[in-house]
Amino acid sequence: MSIDFSLKGKIALVTGASYGIGFAIASGMAKAGATIVFNDIKQELVDKGLAAYKEAGIDAHGYVCNVCDEEAVNNMVAKIEEEVGVIDILVNNAGISLIKQINDTTAEEYDKIMSVNARSYFLCSREAIKLMLKNHEGAIVNVSSMWGQTGASCEIAYSMSKAAVIGLTRSLAEELAPSGITVNCVCPGIIDTRMNNMFDKNELEEEVPLGRLGTSEEVADAIFYLTQNKYITAQILGVNGGII
Ligand code: NAP
């Protein structure tokens, strides 16, 4: 086994990680020794996140930042460098969903979902890379969705935004390979989080060959692996219980 399952000395930024999948990702990395930095869009959410990390015995650094806002992202990354250090791992996780047919989706709703789910990944990657280049190493993992791979009826804008994340991953991986930075992507299926609270759980489970919803920790495990292996880049990994 040549993989070092330790993140001791590494600094990981996970976006939108006050709870849900982001919290599981950051908590897993903290247990492996990483210093955790996370952001969320409101102070109230960051405070909740800080309390949750504290309860889990994790000393995390939380920042308020709307990841769609270029200036806010630039300021956050500069502050992280000053207050915590150089980012080694970036997990672009912040995201929103929208379940509507195309006829009911407004241009404003389309712009918002593309902004949170795709533009923010571009902005956060661009800033974090500037720091990673100083060490000539780093790992970026983007959280897309199985709908980004297949497309989904009634989730046109969401599927488009998640397909853009796959395009970003493949292009950036190629661009950054000579600089020693890996870029990969996970595509979760149906994960047991509040994003799916509005659906009947039994009906959702019937769609999954493995017969149950995935957990945030299972998505986190896949991401953790992708940050560890230095010879895997430009890959799109499904975490979907066999749906695709
Ligand atoms: P979640 O619980 O809603 O967490 C996402 C976090 O991102 C929330 O804290 C959210 O804040 C934050 N956020 C939203 N917009 C933001 C912005 N502009 N700036 C900063 N933070 C922002 O979602 P989740 O279920 O853990 O999903 C995490 C990721 O996995 C998303 O990218 C999602 O698309 C993807 N995914 C999830 C599933 C699933 O089944 N859950 C499946 C496939 C892919 P608010 O609470 O204020 O919105």
Side-chain angles (χ1 to χ4, degrees):
M1 177 76 69
S2 61
I3 300 169
D4 176 12
F5 284 102
S6 165
L7 294 179
K8 236 184 170 138
K10 302 285 183 199
I11 296 173
L13 167 61
V14 185
T15 66
S18 297
Y19 49 84
I21 294 172
F23 182 81
I25 297 165
S27 301
M29 288 187 179
K31 281 183 196 129
T35 299
I36 298 304
V37 186
F38 74 99
N39 79 288
D40 224 308
I41 192 163
K42 293 178 226 135
Q43 184 67 54
E44 186 194 326
L45 283 176
V46 172
D47 290 344
K48 269 193 188 168
L50 285 170
Y53 285 110
K54 199 171 170 196
E55 204 181 316
I58 298 163
D59 187 16
H61 303 259
Y63 292 85
V64 179
C65 173
N66 176 354
V67 283
C68 307
D69 179 337
E70 184 175 21
E71 203 184 329
V73 169
N74 296 355
N75 289 340
M76 174 178 73
V77 173
K79 261 195 190 168
I80 293 170
E81 185 182 19
E82 196 186 311
E83 295 170 2
V84 188
V86 169
I87 296 166
D88 300 288
I89 296 166
L90 167 67
V91 182
N92 283 308
N93 164 78
I96 53 172
S97 65
L98 181 71
I99 299 171
K100 276 187 176 183
Q101 288 188 333
I102 192 164
N103 286 345
D104 299 324
T105 305
T106 65
E108 289 72 27
E109 286 171 326
Y110 168 84
D111 286 345
K112 182 168 183 199
I113 204 155
M114 290 302 287
S115 185
V116 179
N117 292 1
R119 174 184 159 94
S120 80
Y121 283 35
F122 164 81
L123 292 176
C124 292
S125 300
R126 196 183 59 182
E127 287 312 295
I129 288 159
K130 289 179 190 162
L131 303 191
M132 290 175 183
L133 286 172
K134 294 184 183 182
N135 288 341
H136 205 75
E137 67 167 19
I140 298 175
V141 183
N142 296 318
V143 181
S144 176
S145 158
M146 65 176 173
W147 301 141
Q149 295 175 289
T150 64
S153 157
C154 301
E155 296 197 56
I156 306 295
Y158 182 76
S159 302
M160 286 175 74
S161 69
K162 291 302 187 178
V165 170
I166 293 173
L168 168 73
T169 303
R170 291 193 169 127
S171 315
L172 200 52
E174 196 162 326
E175 194 164 302
L176 294 178
S179 305
I181 299 169
T182 61
V183 187
N184 290 290
C185 176
V186 293
C187 293
I190 313 170
I191 310 303
D192 198 357
T193 64
R194 66 175 194 143
M195 210 176 239
N196 294 310
N197 278 352
M198 72 281 251
F199 301 111
D200 181 292
K201 198 171 168 183
N202 292 329
E203 277 178 25
L204 289 180
E205 282 175 347
E206 278 169 23
E207 292 176 34
V208 188
L210 281 179
R212 63 172 177 83
L213 304 192
T215 66
S216 295
E217 288 70 26
E218 285 165 331
V219 178
D221 282 351
I223 291 173
F224 182 71
Y225 179 71
L226 291 173
T227 63
Q228 288 291 289
N229 191 309
K230 298 287 170 223
Y231 204 61
I232 297 180
T233 194
Q235 300 307 304
I236 313 303
L237 178 62
V239 188
N240 59 45
I243 298 180
I244 298 173

mmCIF file of all heavy atoms in Angstrom, residues 4 11 13 21-22 26 44 61 77 102 105 107 127 129 159 164 190 194 234:
data_model
loop_
_atom_site.group_PDB
_atom_site.id
_atom_site.type_symbol
_atom_site.label_atom_id
_atom_site.label_comp_id
_atom_site.label_asym_id
_atom_site.label_seq_id
_atom_site.Cartn_x
_atom_site.Cartn_y
_atom_site.Cartn_z
ATOM 1 N N ASP A 4 -0.615 7.216 1.441
ATOM 2 C CA ASP A 4 -0.484 7.660 2.823
ATOM 3 C C ASP A 4 -1.827 8.220 3.272
ATOM 4 O O ASP A 4 -2.204 9.312 2.874
ATOM 5 C CB ASP A 4 0.608 8.741 2.870
ATOM 6 C CG ASP A 4 0.748 9.346 4.248
ATOM 7 O OD1 ASP A 4 0.173 8.769 5.197
ATOM 8 O OD2 ASP A 4 1.411 10.385 4.372
ATOM 9 N N ILE A 11 -3.870 21.720 4.509
ATOM 10 C CA ILE A 11 -4.980 22.648 4.750
ATOM 11 C C ILE A 11 -6.038 22.400 3.680
ATOM 12 O O ILE A 11 -5.735 22.429 2.483
ATOM 13 C CB ILE A 11 -4.495 24.113 4.713
ATOM 14 C CG1 ILE A 11 -3.498 24.353 5.873
ATOM 15 C CG2 ILE A 11 -5.672 25.087 4.800
ATOM 16 C CD1 ILE A 11 -2.834 25.713 5.837
ATOM 17 N N LEU A 13 -9.817 23.392 2.137
ATOM 18 C CA LEU A 13 -10.983 24.297 2.081
ATOM 19 C C LEU A 13 -12.154 23.533 1.462
ATOM 20 O O LEU A 13 -12.054 23.029 0.341
ATOM 21 C CB LEU A 13 -10.662 25.534 1.229
ATOM 22 C CG LEU A 13 -11.863 26.418 0.830
ATOM 23 C CD1 LEU A 13 -12.580 27.007 2.050
ATOM 24 C CD2 LEU A 13 -11.416 27.552 -0.104
ATOM 25 N N ILE A 21 -23.373 17.230 3.115
ATOM 26 C CA ILE A 21 -22.240 16.480 2.561
ATOM 27 C C ILE A 21 -20.918 17.204 2.869
ATOM 28 O O ILE A 21 -19.923 16.575 3.210
ATOM 29 C CB ILE A 21 -22.437 16.293 1.032
ATOM 30 C CG1 ILE A 21 -23.661 15.394 0.766
ATOM 31 C CG2 ILE A 21 -21.193 15.693 0.386
ATOM 32 C CD1 ILE A 21 -24.071 15.287 -0.705
ATOM 33 N N GLY A 22 -20.935 18.542 2.778
ATOM 34 C CA GLY A 22 -19.714 19.322 3.041
ATOM 35 C C GLY A 22 -19.179 19.081 4.440
ATOM 36 O O GLY A 22 -17.965 18.939 4.639
ATOM 37 N N ALA A 26 -15.482 17.541 5.331
ATOM 38 C CA ALA A 26 -14.511 18.253 6.173
ATOM 39 C C ALA A 26 -14.202 17.456 7.439
ATOM 40 O O ALA A 26 -13.042 17.368 7.863
ATOM 41 C CB ALA A 26 -15.061 19.636 6.521
ATOM 42 N N GLU A 44 -24.888 33.217 10.288
ATOM 43 C CA GLU A 44 -25.666 32.279 11.113
ATOM 44 C C GLU A 44 -25.273 30.820 10.788
ATOM 45 O O GLU A 44 -25.111 29.984 11.691
ATOM 46 C CB GLU A 44 -27.126 32.541 10.737
ATOM 47 C CG GLU A 44 -28.180 31.847 11.505
ATOM 48 C CD GLU A 44 -29.524 31.991 10.735
ATOM 49 O OE1 GLU A 44 -29.747 33.036 10.098
ATOM 50 O OE2 GLU A 44 -30.301 31.026 10.796
ATOM 51 N N HIS A 61 -11.856 26.442 10.847
ATOM 52 C CA HIS A 61 -11.865 27.890 10.583
ATOM 53 C C HIS A 61 -13.033 28.183 9.644
ATOM 54 O O HIS A 61 -13.080 27.638 8.542
ATOM 55 C CB HIS A 61 -10.562 28.328 9.902
ATOM 56 C CG HIS A 61 -9.336 27.986 10.694
ATOM 57 N ND1 HIS A 61 -8.673 28.906 11.458
ATOM 58 C CD2 HIS A 61 -8.681 26.806 10.857
ATOM 59 C CE1 HIS A 61 -7.640 28.321 12.054
ATOM 60 N NE2 HIS A 61 -7.631 27.041 11.701
ATOM 61 N N VAL A 77 -9.963 33.873 0.114
ATOM 62 C CA VAL A 77 -8.750 33.075 -0.110
ATOM 63 C C VAL A 77 -7.513 33.829 0.403
ATOM 64 O O VAL A 77 -6.612 33.228 1.007
ATOM 65 C CB VAL A 77 -8.633 32.662 -1.599
ATOM 66 C CG1 VAL A 77 -7.305 31.980 -1.876
ATOM 67 C CG2 VAL A 77 -9.783 31.726 -1.978
ATOM 68 N N ILE A 102 -38.720 23.029 -17.730
ATOM 69 C CA ILE A 102 -38.083 24.176 -18.390
ATOM 70 C C ILE A 102 -39.077 25.339 -18.568
ATOM 71 O O ILE A 102 -38.715 26.505 -18.385
ATOM 72 C CB ILE A 102 -37.427 23.771 -19.733
ATOM 73 C CG1 ILE A 102 -36.532 24.914 -20.239
ATOM 74 C CG2 ILE A 102 -38.463 23.343 -20.773
ATOM 75 C CD1 ILE A 102 -35.560 24.507 -21.324
ATOM 76 N N THR A 105 -39.197 27.474 -15.491
ATOM 77 C CA THR A 105 -37.922 27.993 -14.970
ATOM 78 C C THR A 105 -37.652 29.378 -15.552
ATOM 79 O O THR A 105 -37.596 29.536 -16.779
ATOM 80 C CB THR A 105 -36.754 27.035 -15.337
ATOM 81 O OG1 THR A 105 -37.070 25.730 -14.867
ATOM 82 C CG2 THR A 105 -35.448 27.491 -14.728
ATOM 83 N N ALA A 107 -35.426 32.912 -16.267
ATOM 84 C CA ALA A 107 -34.022 33.188 -16.598
ATOM 85 C C ALA A 107 -33.237 33.520 -15.330
ATOM 86 O O ALA A 107 -32.057 33.169 -15.206
ATOM 87 C CB ALA A 107 -33.942 34.346 -17.596
ATOM 88 N N GLU A 127 -8.752 30.967 -7.576
ATOM 89 C CA GLU A 127 -8.018 31.602 -6.472
ATOM 90 C C GLU A 127 -7.167 30.605 -5.710
ATOM 91 O O GLU A 127 -6.017 30.892 -5.358
ATOM 92 C CB GLU A 127 -9.000 32.316 -5.521
ATOM 93 C CG GLU A 127 -9.585 33.577 -6.093
ATOM 94 C CD GLU A 127 -8.535 34.503 -6.711
ATOM 95 O OE1 GLU A 127 -7.666 35.022 -5.988
ATOM 96 O OE2 GLU A 127 -8.593 34.705 -7.953
ATOM 97 N N ILE A 129 -5.873 27.849 -6.747
ATOM 98 C CA ILE A 129 -4.747 27.390 -7.572
ATOM 99 C C ILE A 129 -3.536 28.319 -7.415
ATOM 100 O O ILE A 129 -2.393 27.869 -7.380
ATOM 101 C CB ILE A 129 -5.178 27.304 -9.053
ATOM 102 C CG1 ILE A 129 -6.114 26.129 -9.262
ATOM 103 C CG2 ILE A 129 -3.969 27.186 -9.978
ATOM 104 C CD1 ILE A 129 -6.956 26.259 -10.522
ATOM 105 N N SER A 159 -29.106 20.129 -13.952
ATOM 106 C CA SER A 159 -28.294 19.180 -14.736
ATOM 107 C C SER A 159 -27.256 19.915 -15.575
ATOM 108 O O SER A 159 -26.105 19.474 -15.701
ATOM 109 C CB SER A 159 -29.193 18.342 -15.646
ATOM 110 O OG SER A 159 -30.152 17.659 -14.890
ATOM 111 N N ALA A 164 -21.576 21.242 -16.367
ATOM 112 C CA ALA A 164 -20.494 22.241 -16.482
ATOM 113 C C ALA A 164 -19.351 21.899 -15.524
ATOM 114 O O ALA A 164 -18.172 22.093 -15.854
ATOM 115 C CB ALA A 164 -21.038 23.636 -16.181
ATOM 116 N N ILE A 190 -28.436 9.583 -5.114
ATOM 117 C CA ILE A 190 -29.423 10.132 -4.158
ATOM 118 C C ILE A 190 -28.862 9.937 -2.752
ATOM 119 O O ILE A 190 -28.742 8.810 -2.267
ATOM 120 C CB ILE A 190 -30.785 9.428 -4.297
ATOM 121 C CG1 ILE A 190 -31.193 9.334 -5.770
ATOM 122 C CG2 ILE A 190 -31.846 10.174 -3.489
ATOM 123 C CD1 ILE A 190 -32.420 8.449 -6.020
ATOM 124 N N ARG A 194 -30.898 16.846 3.477
ATOM 125 C CA ARG A 194 -32.135 17.658 3.449
ATOM 126 C C ARG A 194 -32.518 18.052 2.015
ATOM 127 O O ARG A 194 -33.655 18.411 1.759
ATOM 128 C CB ARG A 194 -31.990 18.897 4.336
ATOM 129 C CG ARG A 194 -30.964 19.839 3.814
ATOM 130 C CD ARG A 194 -30.797 21.128 4.517
ATOM 131 N NE ARG A 194 -29.996 21.942 3.601
ATOM 132 C CZ ARG A 194 -30.129 23.224 3.398
ATOM 133 N NH1 ARG A 194 -31.028 23.898 4.074
ATOM 134 N NH2 ARG A 194 -29.377 23.868 2.544
ATOM 135 N N ALA A 234 -8.436 14.069 -13.601
ATOM 136 C CA ALA A 234 -9.402 14.198 -14.712
ATOM 137 C C ALA A 234 -10.490 13.125 -14.676
ATOM 138 O O ALA A 234 -11.125 12.873 -15.693
ATOM 139 C CB ALA A 234 -8.696 14.165 -16.063
#
